[in-house]
Structure formats: structure tokens, C-alpha cells
């Protein structure tokens, strides 16, 4: 029965955590209530990293693809902002939220809302498994540990907490992964392979829309071992970013090019006005050079190191204009 189903879904342009936490949490809820009504869902294609993880653990069931939330019962994982959620999320019955991002959510009723400032949703879900005394099966442990490795860039990202490290240790054992560094390297390599991707696929791989007090900004991230190849395709990528903001009526697009080996990010920035590009660059105390801000040392996390300074700049601008 359609109305009995409850979809557990992560954010748009799903990353590994959004896919795997939806699977893990739906599993947990089904076990807890001895039902099958919780359906893992996704809002789009899985990325090449998640694809690698599924293959590694021989997991073949893709989460159910949904795009419109109208009339559906929904549980949100790995996000809570409307701009990152399903179409018509306001017309859905949102039952729960489990997330590790900035809270920007309101609903006309009390719900189970669990947000913790840890590196990954899967870390929070592991706690729920424990508190409900439900065993984590091997493949779910594999998906969960991969989520934490992905979101924390194997603990390099400043989003990492002690709790994430402990969760990884526990989950690795269950998943049967002996060498976490080797496994993480394989995972990141799967994501970093951009040769066969179109510019559009590259910019869409991991992007999120933000509404900074009425100003719509998209911030994407590409994680690579070195940035040479992406610079080799800069014109094509900038053109694709421009097209993206035209189509979606966004003010600007910031693409983080993160070198996970050397631990820094460059930014490609496009905006409808040149002064906006300058303003975004100013959030990092620098001037843009041909749509680029270079060498932001130690910058690995969008939510901790890129979103807050840009948000501050836009809020300032907004209040000045008002
Ligand atoms: Mg995510
Ligand atoms: Mg996450
Ligand atoms: Mg990420």
C-alpha cells in the first residue's frame, strides 16, 4: 500500500552519506518495528564513489528514486534544508530528521529531530543501532563506515570528531576491512576519476544550494588527488557553471576544488556580477584571479570552512542593500 510506505531520503545530488545513511536507517527502522515499510530512497544518481562502495560490498539494491515528496511520508537524513530536499517537501508528511548539518528547518508539529555536530550522519545512526540494541550486519557496517570515511576524508576534515573515529573503528571490524588507508584510497580514487566525466557531471557531482537570506548560492565540491586535470578543463567547467546559474536563477556558483592529498582547496567562482565574484573571494581575504581563488590552505570542509564565510558576506550585503 503506497500510503503505508515511509521513504528515508538524503539530499539532492546525493553523496555517499546521503545514500548509505538512508539504507542504514531504513534497515534499522524496519528491524525495530518488524516491518518493511521503510524504503531507502535517493534524489538522484549515485556518484562514482558510492558505486565503488556498492560493488565492494556486493550490494546491488539501489535506493528507490524519488523526486517529489507531495503526499508522501518522509524521513530526512543527511540534510534538513528545504533547498537541498525533495520537490514539494512542504506538502509531505515529514516524520523524522537525522542530520549533522546546520539546522534550518521548521515544521508545524513536533517530530523526532536528531542533529549532532559530528562528521557524518552514519555516526549518529550507529548510536541509534546501539541504543535500540540492533546488530549492524556486515554490509550495512560497510556502507556506514564508507560514509564516515567519505564525509571526514578519513579524518582529515575539520568536521571529524572523536565519535567518528570510534565509530569507524567499530564498523571496520564488522565490515571486515583490514587496511582502512588502502580502502579509503580506493574509494577516493573512484571519486577522483574525472577523465570520463563531462563538465556537467563534474560540477553536479556534489553540490548544494543555499539560501543566504534570500540570496541563492550553489556551492559544489570536487575532491581530487591533484588539480592539474581539472585546470586542464577549466574553460569547459566555468562555461558549465555559468550555464547552471542561468538555468536555475542562482546568483552565483562556487566550486571547491579540493586537493585531498595536500589538504587545500582552490575555488572556481562564477556569478552574474563581477562584484559578486570579488565579494565571495573577499570572504577568504583574497582577490579572485580569472574566476579563481587559489591555495586556501587546510580548507577541506564545505560546511565548516566555506559556507560560513560566504554566508557572512552575503548577509552583510543583503542588510546594506536593505
Ligand atoms: Mg551529504
Ligand atoms: Mg553527511
Ligand atoms: Mg562531502
Amino acid at each position: 500500500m503506497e500510503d503505508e510506505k515511509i521513504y528515508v531520503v538524503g539530499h539532492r545530488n546525493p553523496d555517499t552519506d546521503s545514500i548509505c545513511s538512508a539504507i542504514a536507517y531504513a534497515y534499522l527502522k524496519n528491524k525495530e518495528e518488524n516491518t518493511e515499510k521503510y524504503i531507502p530512497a535517493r534524489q538522484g544518481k549515485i556518484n562514482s564513489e558510492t558505486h565503488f562502495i556498492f560493488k565492494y560490498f556486493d550490494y546491488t539494491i539501489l535506493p528507490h528514486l524519488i523526486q517529489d515528496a507531495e503526499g508522501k511520508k518522509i524521513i530526512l537524513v543527511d540534510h534538513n534544508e528545504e533547498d537541498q530536499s525533495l520537490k514539494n517537501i512542504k506538502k509531505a508528511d515529514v516524520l523524522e530528521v537525522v542530520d549533522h548539518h546546520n539546522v534550518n528547518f521548521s515544521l508545524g508539529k513536533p517530530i523526532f529531530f536528531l542533529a549532532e555536530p559530528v562528521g557524518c550522519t552514519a555516526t549518529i545512526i550507529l548510536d541509534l543501532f546501539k541504543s535500540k540494541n540492533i546488530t549492524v550486519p556486515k554490509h550495512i557496517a560497510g556502507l556506514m563506515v564508507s560514509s564516515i570515511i567519505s564525509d571526514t576524508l578519513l579524518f582529515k576534515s575539520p568536521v571529524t570528531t572523536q565519535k567518528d573515529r570510534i565509530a569507524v573503528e567499530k564498523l571496520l571490524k564488522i565490515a571486515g576491512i583490514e587496511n582502512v588507508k588502502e580502502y579509503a584510497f580506493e574509494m577516493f580514487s573512484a571519486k577522483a576519476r574525472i577523465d570520463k566525466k563531462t563538465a556537467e557531471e563534474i560540477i553536479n557531482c556534489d553540490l548544494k544550494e543555499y539560501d543566504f537570506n534570500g540570496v541563492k548560492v550553489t556551492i559544489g565540491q570536487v575532491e581530487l588527488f591533484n588539480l592539474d586535470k581539472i585546470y586542464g578543463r577549466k574553460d569547459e567547467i566555468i562555461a558549465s557553471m555559468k550555464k547552471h546559474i542561468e538555468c536555475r536563477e542562482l546568483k552565483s556558483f562556487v566550486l571547491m576544488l579540493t586537493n585531498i592529498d595536500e589538504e587545500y582547496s582552490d575555488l572556481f567562482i562564477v556569478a552574474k556580477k563581477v562584484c559578486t565574484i570579488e565579494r565571495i573571494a573577499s570572504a577568504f581575504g583574497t582577490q579572485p584571479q580569472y574566476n579563481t581563488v587559489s591555495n586556501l590552505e587546510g580548507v577541506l570542509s564545505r560546511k565548516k570552512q566555506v559556507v560560513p564565510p560566504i554566508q557572512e558576506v552575503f548577509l552583510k550585503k543583503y542588510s546594506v542593500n536593505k
Side-chain angles (χ1 to χ4, degrees):
M1 258 193 311
E2 172 69 19
D3 60 351
E4 268 299 298
K5 285 181 181 161
I6 299 168
Y7 296 95
V8 183
V9 68
H11 54 76
R12 250 178 238 167
N13 304 107
D15 58 2
T16 292
D17 189 27
S18 264
I19 296 291
C20 297
S21 285
I23 295 168
Y25 198 49
Y27 175 89
L28 169 70
K29 297 291 289 182
N30 282 331
K31 277 279 159 199
E32 186 190 7
E33 296 176 24
N34 194 19
T35 166
E36 287 180 356
K37 69 181 176 189
Y38 294 92
I39 313 288
R42 64 190 162 102
Q43 295 197 48
K45 267 193 185 170
I46 63 167
N47 68 30
S48 48
E49 181 189 71
T50 315
H51 185 78
F52 163 82
I53 295 158
F54 273 38
K55 254 186 123 174
Y56 191 95
F57 291 99
D58 210 7
Y59 189 81
T60 50
I61 314 157
L62 272 184
H64 186 82
L65 183 67
I66 51 169
Q67 259 136 6
D68 197 323
E70 188 167 358
K72 292 188 174 75
K73 289 188 162 90
I74 303 278
I75 292 176
L76 303 180
V77 292
D78 197 36
H79 75 296
N80 66 80
E81 300 205 27
E82 195 186 338
D83 285 304
Q84 295 163 13
S85 205
L86 292 159
K87 191 177 154 199
N88 287 321
I89 192 68
K90 289 268 187 249
K91 294 179 187 163
D93 187 7
V94 178
L95 304 175
E96 296 185 24
V97 178
V98 182
D99 189 22
H100 67 122
H101 292 90
N102 175 43
V103 177
N104 186 6
F105 183 86
S106 71
L107 198 71
K109 62 169 188 176
I111 59 163
F112 179 83
F113 192 108
L114 182 54
E116 243 188 279
V118 290
C120 182
T121 311
T123 303
I124 307 171
I125 293 174
L126 181 62
D127 261 356
L128 295 171
F129 268 96
K130 253 184 276 168
S131 69
K132 292 169 195 300
N133 217 359
I134 293 167
T135 317
V136 186
K138 185 177 175 179
H139 72 283
I140 297 281
L143 302 185
M144 288 170 79
V145 77
S146 305
S147 296
I148 307 173
I149 292 168
S150 172
D151 268 9
T152 65
L153 293 172
L154 192 59
F155 313 140
K156 279 185 179 179
S157 168
V159 300
T160 312
T161 65
Q162 188 57 13
K163 215 169 157 175
D164 300 302
R165 291 172 188 273
I166 295 168
V168 164
E169 218 173 286
K170 286 184 181 154
L171 291 165
L172 282 175
K173 281 189 197 129
I174 308 170
I177 297 171
E178 274 163 24
N179 188 331
V180 65
K181 280 197 178 148
E182 255 174 47
Y183 176 70
F185 179 77
E186 282 184 62
M187 256 179 66
F188 298 151
S189 303
K191 186 152 66 181
R193 237 170 264 135
I194 58 164
D195 309 35
K196 286 184 187 153
K197 290 180 185 160
T198 63
E200 208 188 331
E201 281 168 341
I202 293 169
I203 67 163
N204 272 294
C205 168
D206 177 11
L207 58 82
K208 290 185 178 173
E209 269 176 36
Y210 297 88
D211 187 330
F212 299 141
N213 210 8
V215 182
K216 299 251 188 198
V217 181
T218 276
I219 305 177
Q221 185 171 25
V222 189
E223 288 153 355
L224 303 159
F225 290 111
N226 78 65
L227 305 188
D228 297 348
K229 276 188 186 159
I230 201 121
Y231 272 96
R233 298 176 65 181
K234 183 176 173 183
D235 290 349
E236 196 193 335
I237 288 178
I238 294 280
S240 189
M241 289 167 71
K242 283 184 179 159
K243 201 171 140 199
H244 185 95
I245 59 170
E246 287 305 324
C247 296
R248 296 184 62 89
E249 290 184 8
L250 292 155
K251 279 254 188 238
S252 47
F253 192 148
V254 180
L255 186 66
M256 292 173 69
L257 314 169
T258 301
N259 184 322
I260 51 180
D261 232 12
E262 292 172 30
E263 301 184 32
Y264 71 90
S265 290
D266 286 5
L267 309 177
F268 284 171
I269 310 167
V270 303
K272 285 181 179 147
K273 292 182 194 158
V274 177
C275 65
T276 311
I277 301 180
E278 282 165 5
R279 206 166 258 275
I280 292 171
S282 77
F284 303 93
T286 182
Q287 295 272 333
Q289 299 267 334
Y290 306 105
N291 295 87
T292 307
V293 165
S294 308
N295 266 317
L296 299 176
E297 248 178 77
V299 171
L300 299 173
S301 164
R302 170 174 40 203
K303 80 171 171 184
K304 267 210 156 161
Q305 296 166 300
V306 173
V307 171
I310 295 179
Q311 178 169 30
E312 211 182 295
V313 150
F314 276 103
L315 292 183
K316 259 191 234 155
K317 185 184 178 201
Y318 192 73
S319 56
V320 169
N321 283 352
K322 256 169 120 180

